[in-house]
Amino acid sequence: MQKILVARSIFPDVIERLKQHFEVDWNDGDVLSADELKRRLADKDGALTAGDMIGADVLAAAPRLRVVANMAVGYNNFDMAAFNAANVLGTNTPDVLNESTADFGWALMMAAARRIAESEHWLRAGHWNKWSYDGFLGSDLYGSTLGVIGMGRIGQALARRAQGFNMRVVYHNRSRVAPQIESELNAEYLSKEDLLRRADHVVLVLPYTKESHHTIGAAELALMKPTATLTNIARGGIVDDAALAEALRDKRIAAAGLDVFEGEPKLHPALLTVPNVVLTPHIASATETTRRAMANLAADNLIAGLGAGPRAGQPPNPINPDVIGKART
Ligand code: GLV
């Protein structure tokens, strides 16, 4: 029987599914250190990960490893050049999380714009003793301009929701989306700089790559309106968190909503000192239905990628399909 490592705690019934095909080594505890991950992968044919860093060193320590299934749509934790060099297949879990993640983007954006978390903390601290006309004034979403940076599947799901709020949609992406999608979403393509100047609410939904590192830093924040909000549901590292904390402290932008952080689960300490930011622990896809769908899709990819189950050899979401069928190097 082939051997796999499930590197993270996941739904026990998904572990049971995997046990029908493989001998399963399940890490149901804390995140594995790089050394521990290498040790546990040394005799494995496959792995199910969720954000664990898999680079050339890990692959070298795991000479039998042929498939790594990430339980996430983003796979910046995979060094794909190393995967390709070693003929290791990487897979991810796109699509099943689009709507939940878009919902959450709206939740964060609205919480930031209408100061929900900030006012709740104030209320819990016992400060509320009268209604006041200027208490926690925020900025409107209805009728405003939404700026989406990263118009992939989740960006489009976000933009679709904007129609119910009578918002104009402007977007920036590596390349323009098809004219039909632009017209369906009533979305106008802008340069990043023009988008930042025009949008009332900016949401980041782009993948993290070397090129997207600090897409939003001090210079970009300086272009935004003082009444604008910034929401990051993409990846830590896309925003320069130190520059953002400073902009929030100085009210150079009104508020932010952040679900992801550079170096998470650690946060830049300055973010914890500014009240006008809503902070959540990387939960944009976290509904029961969606997380189950992601876990099962990761399992489908691993099972099929390792040549088992009804789709043997044809995993649904290969990132580098060219390596399928090639011998491990
Ligand atoms: C979550 O962050 C994902 O990439 O799916």
Side-chain angles (χ1 to χ4, degrees), residues 180-193:
Q180 188 200 335
I181 296 175
E182 279 190 359
S183 80
E184 267 167 29
L185 299 174
N186 204 9
E188 181 187 352
Y189 181 83
L190 293 179
S191 69
K192 180 174 86 174
E193 289 71 24

Side-chain angles (χ1 to χ4, degrees), residues 71-75 93 97 234-235 260 282 285 294:
M71 183 182 146
V73 63
Y75 52 86
T93 59
L97 45 50
R235 271 293 178 276
V260 285
H282 202 146
S285 65
M294 290 168 71

